[in-house]
Amino acid sequence: MLTDIKSMYEEEIKDMLIGMGEQGYRASQIFKWLHEGVKSFDEMTNISKELRQKLVENCYISNAAIEKKLISSYDGTEKYLFSFADGETVESVLMKYHHGYTSCISTQVGCKMGCSFCATGKSGFSRNLTASEMLAQLQAEQKDNNIRISNIVLMGMGEPLDNFDNVMRFLRLVSNEHGMNVGMRHISLSTCGIVPRIYELADMKLQLTLSVSLHAPNDQIRSRTMPVNRKYNINQLLEACRYYCKNTGRRISFEYAMIDGINDSDGCAKELGEKLKGIIAHVNLIPVNTVGGTGYKKSKRDRMKRFIDILAERGITATVRRTLGSDINASCGQLRRQSLGEVKEENST
Ligand code: SAH
Ligand code: SF4
């Protein structure tokens, strides 16, 4: 079996080279090439032909091929459908902000978590992505636009904490100073709330931003829309969040998709305000994207405003997330569903 060389740390490449009877210092040259996004060993021009040949025989470089690309006519946001060597596809979104480019990448093909409002959850789960496949999404976008990505959010398809080891490996590789060198402070990880993994992450004391997809103020609503809540309930989740803040000194952002008539009442806002007491938190309200077959509609504007006011009265800041690319903002999972023929077209606004 060939080795996935772009998922390897420089030290591991070095050990492999030494094992092949090669000189270890070549590892740093190879590592640099891989993280510049070369697609084949032949592009490594300062590596001898013999060594390149050995690498071809033992390793592969994973790439992300552009299957589809949608560009927002409003703000230039680009949504990609990428395919990997085995034909599996994932989505990724490139957004341009005044401070640079942010990429939202996928961590799994599909997702096991089955949240009722989510297009990815509806397609089920195929497999985890490797660290190199996460890097490959960024590299393909950089190359396609001739840009550098400065911020990364793990908010595409999949649950990052359900693919913990590969995601941690990715984080270390992407923040490596000889690689893309994106600092942890420029990376956000979004989770539906896999509690033991939040503790594990907190103990690593990484400086990344944790986003928690809360979407409900109580177990009754949350267990209905997010099955993960039946395993780890809200109190357990918020306890883990408190631990995370205390251990890392980082503020948590809570994602809250506003669904008309489901989780957007005054009562919900009050309950949420009570629950979040004592956590250094920011709440991002997202008008839910309508996914075919769910019957969910986004909350009205004045409802969202009222929700924000009630939270503010309780000392919690909440904002409505600025939606970039709203004309292509089939939320993650929708483009893939379309391409798989699961749905024809979904109303995404
Ligand atoms: N699995 C992780 C990260 C990927 S989902 C998580 O759940 O956090 C990225 C974000 O999109 C999450 O906050 C998720 O709850 C949200 N999301 C999923 N479907 C959505 C929809 N139809 N409308 C609005 N937000 C949605
Ligand atoms: Fe998975 Fe996140 Fe979608 Fe839930 S919201 S199904 S955890 S991708």
Side-chain angles (χ1 to χ4, degrees), residues 70-73 75-79 93-96 324-325 328:
L70 300 178
I71 305 177
S72 164
S73 50
D75 51 44
T77 295
E78 297 176 350
K79 180 153 192 161
V93 179
L94 182 69
M95 294 157 282
K96 188 176 186 340
L324 285 179
I328 55 163

Side-chain angles (χ1 to χ4, degrees), residues 123-180:
S123 304
F125 175 79
S126 276
R127 67 170 173 86
N128 283 325
L129 292 191
T130 59
S132 60
E133 288 170 331
M134 295 175 220
L135 288 167
Q137 296 170 59
L138 301 169
Q139 292 171 336
E141 288 169 354
Q142 292 198 147
K143 199 160 206 172
D144 191 39
N145 295 280
N146 196 21
I147 49 137
R148 305 301 299 168
I149 288 165
S150 51
N151 291 275
I152 300 166
V153 294
L154 303 185
M155 267 203 191
M157 295 167 57
E159 167 49 48
L161 298 188
D162 184 45
N163 184 15
F164 197 81
D165 293 345
N166 288 331
V167 166
M168 292 308 127
R169 186 172 270 276
F170 162 76
L171 291 174
R172 296 215 165 87
L173 288 169
V174 82
S175 59
N176 187 293
E177 57 178 340
H178 302 134
M180 279 182 66

Side-chain angles (χ1 to χ4, degrees), residues 11 61 72 77 108 112 219 244 256 304 322 345:
E11 278 304 305
I61 302 175
S72 164
T77 295
Q108 295 180 316
K112 292 177 207 156
D219 288 327
Y244 187 89
Y256 198 101
M304 304 227 268
R322 191 176 148 221
E345 200 170 302

